[in-house]
């Protein structure tokens, strides 16, 4: 990058706000999808909306591509830099600006870490419901970018249902203030449209989120199964019985073993083939009325034991195992390919079994840990990226799993997004006409196609987007 | 043949017959077509694009008066013949239907599958799901379930280029692609014709109650409402309505029997002299007795005022005073949990300029409390003086540019919505 340009950016952002030394840029080469890497030209770390806007004006003048980055925990390559881009990170925008307990909302800067928002709200008897397993690291801005989910989104809904307002810095550095809280959008629902736009519409700098009251009672159960099929059937039955717990999560044998061997050990029985983690919340009556039929379903489906967390500490431990599961997989192999697809909840058993069959065919190690209540599967594959043949088989297996799920009426992603990972699969679910409409709307936000170019839309559809060089 | 007759003949060739629609009582009638399939819908939109005609999409036409009158329109395109249930998977809790399906039929269908359909709107038989989604209309049950746009899983929409395009899907969780369906929800047909909608469903309640009480002053009613809302109960809807001699509060409770009974007990402890109705009687009176229903039927101008929940405690008395000062009579109904206030201007302010002056001043007062005011069924004469939706929202330029990008030739009628969108 030209020295004068760096100096100009330094004048706006200060020395801590501009990273341009090649060695330091290495840390920003990839997000959680470590298979794809590209070094950015520069990393910018603004401290405020105003600073971000001023920097974006310079980048606009220079016609540089821009990629937004929260914590870089995304798993679909959303924050993977594109060649020659400025990566705009939110690591220095970590302030909780306001918690309005009476009206139940909070305003935060985009770089606030998910768990920090929950902790800030907890003091007021409230919480922020979307709880990705990565919540100790991921940012609210990144959650907005991907429309992230989490175990408790089964009851409370994904990020989009919790975003009340946004301040957005546009491609040209102008500031769009959509933060005025109102029950319904005035005009088109720009906020709803923005959530899940994967950094391709603008950069969210401030976010107003809805908070919900901490429930009176929370109960957590662990149902233990001797086969994965039965655990899946129990969840399908629970959905068919119209039950409304707050979370329904399944972990399979390989995941349980990895968790139990790690620091996240939660006391899951190592010999079980699957565990079903169930949580219900509400009044005492409500929790009991929800859990009693669930217990009956689990027994009917052959659960050999149903344990109940007797204290907050036990509950926390059960969840630590679930939330640490991806990390714990590091014990099985150095790398993990986290897949993310959604299936109709009537077909859980069938499609989990299909994924297992595909993995066996390709001789790769598959471990399942997933948001079963929402039909959101994570058939994760452990591998070693130094083994080129294994990498090939991993990609073939995940490709086949996606195709099989789509053929059965499923979708490409439930929460991790499309990014670079699934871009070329988009044509499996959308026609060129559908995708062109998406391009048209993107053009209204970002006429030059400079924001996170070359992501989400398959290359053949959106040729008008510039800078679409895919990182190798 | 006159130009109009020529147009009618061409439209009839695509979809069989042409009727006449009156979008409002005070505007000229228009040719109206009701395509029998998505393909016919596409063909009609293509015809309009080629011939540079302007189209206004409508559902059952129940509430067109609530949107501004569009400028020039050549024909109305109604979804009323798009009546297919595309897929219903009760055990996955989802349904996909064509846009013309009536809300009554849709909710009966969902109930048969063991589900409750939100939004629960009054006069369901007169509304189409496409119209409800296009108007972004949430029911009073939004207190429990949230706004309708949160439950639209996906849409199929015919855009100005005549293509039926999909966004989202039929699954309860999905982040594949940009959420254009969020854009179409509440866009009042200014971006395209919604032809198919997929929805998330909720469990059909095992038990249902309606608990009511009375208060003589608005302030007392508001305070009773706040105490009910502070209960750890998942109240479905809570309304306060002005009656002849005071105010009636009504709370709707439903769900599992034990839970509902516990919630009822808690509510009865807070509300003096409360009455309870249960089951079908509760359901019927929640609907029929509500001022929302009367308002939905009314042809008088009406105001919808919205703000942050707690601000309503200040805003509602203020509006009440302003109405009294201006000697306006009509239904007065509020939803304290979701901070909506509906006011019917049934008598008083009959002069358009007096109405406009009243609204301008009320709007200015409300703005100081962060409240917005929209005017429905506005007389045409008043519209000349005032935007029924109030100040243009921030982001209006972007909204216009979205409109231009999706509909560069202006096939769909504009000038009907916020800031002339
Ligand atoms: C161990 C592990 C567990 C995970 N578990 C879950 C889970 O349970 N549920 C789930 O949904 N995801 C999960 N994820 C994925 C990931 O954590 C989420 O996608 C998260 O929201 C990403 O946040 P981030 O701050 O890391 O964003 P990044 O990865 O930095 O960015 C994500 C996307 O958002 C864009 N973006 C970032 N900030 C902004 C902004 N301010 N404005 C506009 N766009 C922006 C980026 O350009 C990119 O496209 C998991 C990841 C890991 C590694
Ligand atoms: C601003 C506004 C707020 C409203 N709020 C309430 C409320 O709070 N409570 C209440 O009871 N009612 C409300 N309504 C009435 C609401 O419009 C009707 O309940 C519902 O839309 C009627 O369905 P319909 O089939 O008769 O639609 P119509 O009355 O025919 O159409 C409603 C609107 O949607 C558009 N439209 C209809 N179908 C489609 C389609 N398939 N594709 C694209 N656009 C379409 C029309 O152009 C029109 O703008 C409101 C209406 C408006 C305009």
């Amino acid at each position: 990058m030209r020295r004068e340009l760096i100096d100009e950016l330094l004048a706006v952002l200060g020395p801590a706000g501009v990273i341009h030394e090649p060695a330091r840029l290495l840390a920003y080469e990839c997000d959680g999808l470590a298979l794809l890497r590209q070094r950015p030209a520069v990393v910018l770390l603004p401290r405020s909306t105003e600073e971000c806007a001023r920097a974006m004006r310079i980048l606009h003048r220079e016609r540089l591509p821009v990629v937004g980055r929260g914590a870089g925990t995304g798993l679909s390559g959303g924050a993977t830099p594109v060649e020659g881009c400025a990566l705009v990170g939110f690591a220095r925008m970590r302030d909780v600006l306001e918690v309005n307990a009476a009206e139940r909302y909070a305003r935060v800067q985009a770089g606030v870490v998910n768990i920090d928002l929950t902790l800030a709200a907890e003091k007021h008897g409230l919480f922020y419901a979307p709880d990705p397993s990565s919540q100790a690291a991921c940012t609210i801005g990144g959650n907005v970018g991907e429309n992230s989910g989490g175990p408790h989104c089964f009851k409370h809904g994904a990020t989009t249902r919790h975003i009340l307002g946004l301040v957005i810095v546009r491609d040209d550095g102008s500031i769009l203030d959509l933060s005025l809280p109102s029950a319904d959008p005035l005009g088109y629902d720009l906020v709803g449209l923005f959530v899940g736009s994967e950094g391709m519409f603008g950069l969210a700098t401030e976010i107003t989120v809805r908070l919900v009251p901490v429930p009176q009672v929370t109960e957590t159960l662990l149902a233990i199964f001797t086969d994965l099929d039965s655990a899946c059937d129990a969840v399908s039955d629970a959905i068919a019985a119209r039950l409304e717990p707050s979370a329904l999560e399944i972990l399979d044998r390989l995941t349980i073993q990895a968790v139990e061997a790690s620091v996240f050990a939660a006391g899951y029985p190592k010999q079980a083939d699957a565990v079903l983690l169930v949580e219900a919340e509400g009044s005492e009556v409500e929790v009991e009325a929800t859990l009693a039929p669930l217990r009956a379903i689990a027994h009917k489906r052959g659960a050999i034991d149903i344990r109940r967390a007797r204290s907050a500490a036990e509950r926390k431990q059960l969840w630590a195992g679930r939330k640490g599961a991806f990390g714990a997989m590091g014990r099985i192999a150095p790398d993990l390919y986290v897949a993310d697809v959604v299936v109709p909840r009537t077909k859980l058993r069938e499609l989990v079994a299909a994924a297992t069959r595909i993995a066996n065919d390709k001789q790769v190690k598959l471990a399942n840990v997933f948001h079963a209540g929402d039909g959101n599967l994570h058939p994760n594959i452990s591998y070693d990226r130094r083994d080129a043949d294994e990498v090939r088989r991993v990609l073939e297996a995940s490709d086949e799993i996606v195709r099989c799920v789509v053929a059965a009426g499923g979708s490409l992603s439930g929460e991790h997004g499309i990014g670079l990972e699934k871009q070329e699969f988009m044509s499996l679910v959308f026609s060129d006409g559908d995708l062109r409409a998406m391009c048209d709307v993107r053009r209204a936000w970002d006429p030059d196609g400079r924001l996170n170019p070359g992501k989400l839309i398959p290359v053949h559809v959106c040729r008008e987007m510039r800078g679409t060089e895919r990182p190798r | 043949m006159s130009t109009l007759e020529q147009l009618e003949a061409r439209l009839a060739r695509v979809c069989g017959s042409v009727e006449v629609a009156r979008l409002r009582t005070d505007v000229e009638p228009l040719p109206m077509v009701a395509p029998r399939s998505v393909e016919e819908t596409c063909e009609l939109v293509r015809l309009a694009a080629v011939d540079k005609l302007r189209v206004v999409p409508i559902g059952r036409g129940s509430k067109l008066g609530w949107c501004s009158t569009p400028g020039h329109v050549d024909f109305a395109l109604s979804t009323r013949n798009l009546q297919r249930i595309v897929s219903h998977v009760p055990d996955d809790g989802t349904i996909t239907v064509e846009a013309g399906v009536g809300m009554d039929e849709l909710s009966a269908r969902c109930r048969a599958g063991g589900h409750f359909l939100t939004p629960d709107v009054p006069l369901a038989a007169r509304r189409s799901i496409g119209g409800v989604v296009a108007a972004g209309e949430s029911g009073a049950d939004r207190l429990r379930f949230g706004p309708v746009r949160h439950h639209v899983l996906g849409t199929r929409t015919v855009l100005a280029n005549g293509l039926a395009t999909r966004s989202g899907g039929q699954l309860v969780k999905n982040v594949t692609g940009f959420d254009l369906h969020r854009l179409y929800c509440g866009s009042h047909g200014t971006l395209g014709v919604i032809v198919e909608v997929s929805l998330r469903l909720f469990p059909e309640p095992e038990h249902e109650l309606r608990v009511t009480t009375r208060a003589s002053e608005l302030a007392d009613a508001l305070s009773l409402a706040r105490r009910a809302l502070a209960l750890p109960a998942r109240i479905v809807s809570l309304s306060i309505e002005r009656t002849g001699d005071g105010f009636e509060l009504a709370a709707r409770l439903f769900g599992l029997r034990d839970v509902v009974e516990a919630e009822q007990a808690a509510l009865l402890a807070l509300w003096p002299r409360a009455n309870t109705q249960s089951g079908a009687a509760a359901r019927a009176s929640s609907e029929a007795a509500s001022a929302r229903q009367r308002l939905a039927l009314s042809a008088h101008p009406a105001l919808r005022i919205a703000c942050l929940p707690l601000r309503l405690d200040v805003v509602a008395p203020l509006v009440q005073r302003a109405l009294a000062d201006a000697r306006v009579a009509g239904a007065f109904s509020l939803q304290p949990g979701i901070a909506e206030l509906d006011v019917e201007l049934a008598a008083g302010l009959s002069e358009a300029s007096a109405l406009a002056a009243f609204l301008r001043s009320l709007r200015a007062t409300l703005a100081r409390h962060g409240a917005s005011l929209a005017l429905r069924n506005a007389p045409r004469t008043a519209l000349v003086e005032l935007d029924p939706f109030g100040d243009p929202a921030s982001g209006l330029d972007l909204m216009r540019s979205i409109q231009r990008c999706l509909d560069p030739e202006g096939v769909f009628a504009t000038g009907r919505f916020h800031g002339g969108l």
Side-chain angles (χ1 to χ4, degrees):
Chain A
M1 173 162 281
R2 293 194 333 263
R3 187 68 226 183
E4 318 86 88
L5 190 54
I6 290 176
D7 288 341
E8 196 181 353
L9 291 164
L10 277 166
V12 172
L13 302 170
V18 181
I19 296 174
H20 59 93
E21 306 83 346
R24 289 179 64 207
L25 290 174
L26 269 179
Y28 297 92
E29 272 190 346
C30 67
D31 64 3
L33 183 68
L35 277 175
L36 299 177
R37 286 165 191 271
Q38 167 74 48
R39 200 172 307 173
V42 68
V43 173
L44 305 179
L45 303 169
R47 268 168 314 185
S48 65
T49 299
E50 198 41 53
E51 272 193 15
C52 180
R54 285 170 65 198
M56 288 292 279
R57 262 171 252 151
I58 296 171
L59 301 174
H60 178 65
R61 189 195 67 209
E62 297 292 322
R63 299 174 174 278
L64 286 179
V66 173
V67 175
R69 178 183 170 108
T73 67
L75 292 166
S76 56
T80 310
V82 303
E83 203 177 332
C85 79
L87 193 72
V88 178
F90 291 91
R92 293 206 301 157
M93 289 182 64
R94 299 228 150 145
D95 290 343
V96 173
L97 302 170
E98 179 190 358
V99 177
N100 187 328
E103 299 282 15
R104 293 184 187 162
Y105 70 80
R107 267 187 332 115
V108 301
Q109 285 189 310
V112 164
V113 171
N114 180 293
I115 193 86
D116 292 337
L117 170 55
T118 288
L119 292 175
E122 235 169 37
K123 290 180 216 143
H124 304 273
L126 300 168
F127 73 108
Y128 177 64
D131 58 341
S133 306
S134 52
Q135 70 187 140
C138 67
T139 65
I140 301 300
N143 295 169
V144 166
E146 302 289 10
N147 186 12
S148 301
H152 290 83
C153 293
F154 174 62
K155 173 168 183 178
H156 296 279
T159 300
T160 187
R161 274 162 72 181
H162 302 272
I163 304 301
L164 299 175
L166 295 170
V167 175
I168 296 166
V169 174
R170 301 273 310 272
D171 64 314
D172 59 358
S174 59
I175 296 171
L176 175 61
D177 187 344
L178 302 171
S179 64
L180 205 71
S182 74
D184 284 314
L186 303 174
Y188 298 146
D189 184 9
L190 296 179
V191 170
L193 178 62
F194 188 92
V195 177
S197 61
E198 304 197 8
M200 297 170 76
F201 286 178
L203 297 175
T205 53
E206 286 174 30
I207 301 163
T208 309
V209 302
R210 190 164 73 95
L211 300 175
V212 286
V214 173
Q216 259 184 319
V217 178
T218 305
E219 281 272 1
T220 310
L221 300 182
L222 186 74
I224 295 147
F225 289 88
T226 51
D227 67 301
L228 181 56
D229 283 354
S230 306
C232 289
D233 286 342
V235 171
S236 290
D237 286 358
I239 303 299
R242 319 283 186 257
L243 295 174
E244 288 186 298
S246 48
L248 281 170
E249 299 280 315
I250 290 179
L251 292 82
D252 74 358
R253 186 187 188 91
L254 199 55
T255 311
I256 294 169
Q257 289 174 347
V259 168
E260 289 308 312
S262 77
V263 293
F264 307 109
Y268 304 152
K270 275 178 246 172
Q271 295 320 308
D273 262 338
V275 292
L276 169 61
L277 193 55
V278 179
E279 193 154 279
E281 56 183 47
S283 63
E284 206 163 314
V285 184
E286 190 171 7
V287 167
E288 195 38 48
T290 306
L291 290 183
L294 261 166
R295 275 198 203 90
I297 287 172
H299 278 306
K300 194 184 106 213
R301 286 297 181 178
I304 49 169
D305 190 11
I306 300 178
R307 300 181 189 167
R308 173 178 159 266
R310 276 156 309 187
S311 63
E314 278 189 29
R315 209 164 52 237
K316 209 163 161 194
Q317 197 190 5
L318 285 178
W319 278 110
R322 165 61 186 91
K323 297 209 167 168
F326 291 170
M329 302 300 282
R331 307 191 65 85
I332 299 177
D335 298 291
L336 182 68
Y337 188 93
V338 182
D340 167 45
V341 289
V342 191
V343 307
R345 294 171 295 178
T346 46
K347 295 185 180 170
L348 280 174
R349 170 212 270 255
E350 183 187 317
L351 289 165
V352 168
T356 309
R357 219 166 29 242
I358 292 167
N360 288 342
D361 283 354
K362 298 285 175 194
Q363 296 176 309
V364 292
K365 267 192 239 82
L366 180 80
N368 287 288
V369 43
F370 57 103
H371 310 302
D374 281 319
N376 188 181
L377 310 187
H378 290 320
N380 302 327
I381 307 175
S382 304
Y383 70 102
D384 181 343
R385 89 174 83 141
R386 292 162 302 187
D387 179 344
D389 183 63
E390 194 178 27
V391 169
R392 180 185 56 78
R393 282 180 286 121
V394 169
L395 293 176
E396 282 174 6
S398 78
D399 187 299
E400 231 174 273
I401 291 172
V402 168
R403 285 174 199 279
C404 163
V405 160
V406 169
S411 92
L412 297 184
S413 173
E415 52 182 26
H416 297 167
I418 303 301
L420 291 169
E421 184 202 8
K422 294 201 172 127
Q423 185 177 22
E424 293 306 325
F425 288 117
M426 287 289 274
S427 297
L428 287 181
V429 286
F430 290 120
S431 70
D432 283 4
D434 305 342
L435 295 167
R436 234 174 283 134
M438 293 184 197
C439 291
D440 285 340
V441 170
R442 165 167 158 66
R443 195 150 39 82
W445 287 88
D446 176 21
D448 304 326
R450 286 174 40 245
L451 302 182
N452 221 357
K455 309 272 176 87
L456 193 138
I457 306 278
V459 177
H460 78 277
V461 178
C462 252
R463 296 211 192 279
E464 72 262 38
M465 290 192 188
R466 292 183 202 143
T468 50
E469 270 278 34
R470 195 179 159 146
R472 273 156 282 268
Chain B
M1 269 205 296
S2 72
T3 350
L4 183 61
E5 283 165 343
Q6 279 173 13
L7 170 62
E8 288 182 355
R10 307 214 12 244
L11 294 174
R13 240 172 284 140
V14 179
C15 63
S17 65
V18 179
E19 294 166 57
V20 173
R22 222 175 229 288
L23 295 190
R24 293 168 54 107
T25 48
D26 51 2
V27 299
E28 287 295 302
L30 274 182
M32 184 192 82
V33 287
R36 294 156 297 190
S37 64
V38 172
E39 293 67 35
E40 281 186 7
T41 312
C42 295
E43 206 172 321
L44 288 163
V45 173
R46 268 196 297 271
L47 182 154
V50 170
D51 288 13
K52 307 219 173 305
L53 302 173
R54 302 206 99 194
V55 184
V56 60
I58 63 173
R60 300 201 164 184
S62 72
K63 276 294 175 291
L64 292 163
W66 292 29
C67 211
S68 316
T69 317
H72 175 75
V73 179
D74 293 292
F75 68 93
L77 191 161
S78 166
T79 58
R80 69 174 50 162
N81 289 333
L82 299 178
Q83 289 285 352
R84 276 188 326 130
I85 306 277
V86 178
S87 87
H88 181 197
V89 191
D91 287 351
D92 196 27
T94 60
I95 192 164
T96 299
V97 297
E98 286 188 340
V101 172
M103 289 301 282
D104 56 339
E105 186 195 333
L106 184 55
S107 60
R109 174 84 188 216
C110 295
R111 205 173 303 135
H115 283 110
F116 174 79
L117 174 76
T118 181
D120 193 13
V121 292
L123 303 174
R126 299 193 184 192
R127 288 135 195 255
S128 63
I129 179 65
V132 167
V133 168
E137 179 199 345
S138 300
D141 59 344
R142 156 185 206 155
L143 177 58
R144 164 100 155 237
F145 297 104
V148 61
R149 60 182 184 277
H150 286 178
H151 309 302
V152 175
L153 304 171
T155 53
R156 202 168 167 213
T157 304
V158 177
L159 297 176
N161 58 11
L163 292 179
T165 59
R166 289 183 194 281
S167 167
Q170 305 190 357
L171 300 166
V172 294
K173 192 173 182 191
N174 192 357
V175 297
T176 311
F178 300 139
D179 281 357
L180 301 195
H181 48 291
R182 285 294 291 266
L183 180 62
Y184 305 139
C185 285
S187 67
H188 293 276
T190 57
L191 298 173
V193 190
I194 299 170
V195 288
E196 219 177 273
V197 179
S198 300
L199 295 161
R200 162 206 304 276
L201 305 174
F202 292 87
E204 168 76 349
E206 181 181 281
H207 190 47
E208 167 153 12
L209 296 176
R210 181 169 185 265
V211 181
T212 55
T213 189
R214 302 189 52 79
S216 51
E217 299 299 330
L218 181 57
D220 302 332
L222 281 164
S223 124
L224 288 172
R226 286 291 157 229
R227 288 163 64 194
L229 289 166
L231 288 173
R234 295 201 296 147
I235 298 176
V236 179
S237 65
L238 176 62
S239 63
I240 298 177
E241 285 168 14
R242 189 166 62 197
T243 57
D245 55 347
F247 293 86
E248 185 185 64
L249 284 98
R252 185 177 185 189
L253 305 174
F254 70 45
L256 298 170
R257 180 173 291 275
D258 292 348
V259 179
V260 171
E261 281 170 358
E263 290 177 347
Q264 177 200 18
L267 196 55
L268 292 179
L270 289 182
W271 283 5
R273 299 179 305 281
N275 289 315
T276 303
Q277 286 170 305
S278 66
R283 179 182 304 231
S285 51
S286 296
E287 259 212 18
S290 82
R292 278 175 91 90
Q293 167 145 349
R294 283 199 304 285
L295 277 160
L297 275 171
S298 163
H300 294 295
L303 310 181
R304 159 65 60 85
I305 292 158
C307 58
L308 282 174
L310 297 184
R311 302 242 177 109
L312 194 68
D313 296 5
V314 179
V315 165
L318 207 140
V319 174
Q320 191 191 23
R321 260 195 314 278
L323 292 169
D325 291 348
R327 298 177 197 290
V328 179
F332 183 91
S333 153
L334 52 146
Q335 311 282 326
I338 54 179
E340 284 178 359
L341 168 58
D342 288 297
V343 178
E344 182 193 30
L345 309 178
L349 293 178
S350 46
E351 286 291 313
S353 57
L355 175 62
F358 171 75
L359 290 180
R360 254 194 304 274
S361 127
L362 185 59
R363 216 173 237 164
T365 314
L366 290 174
R368 285 198 286 282
H369 299 274
S372 66
L373 180 158
L375 172 64
R376 292 158 179 189
N377 293 335
R380 229 170 134 67
T381 40
L383 285 176
V384 178
E385 293 195 47
L386 135 143
D387 183 339
F389 291 96
D391 287 339
S394 58
L396 193 60
D397 287 345
L398 176 59
M399 294 177 202
R400 292 208 176 105
S401 131
I402 289 174
Q403 207 171 47
R404 267 194 312 276
C405 285
L406 283 175
D407 182 8
E409 306 292 332
V411 172
F412 295 106
T414 57
R416 330 184 32 220
F417 184 31
H418 274 272
L421 286 175

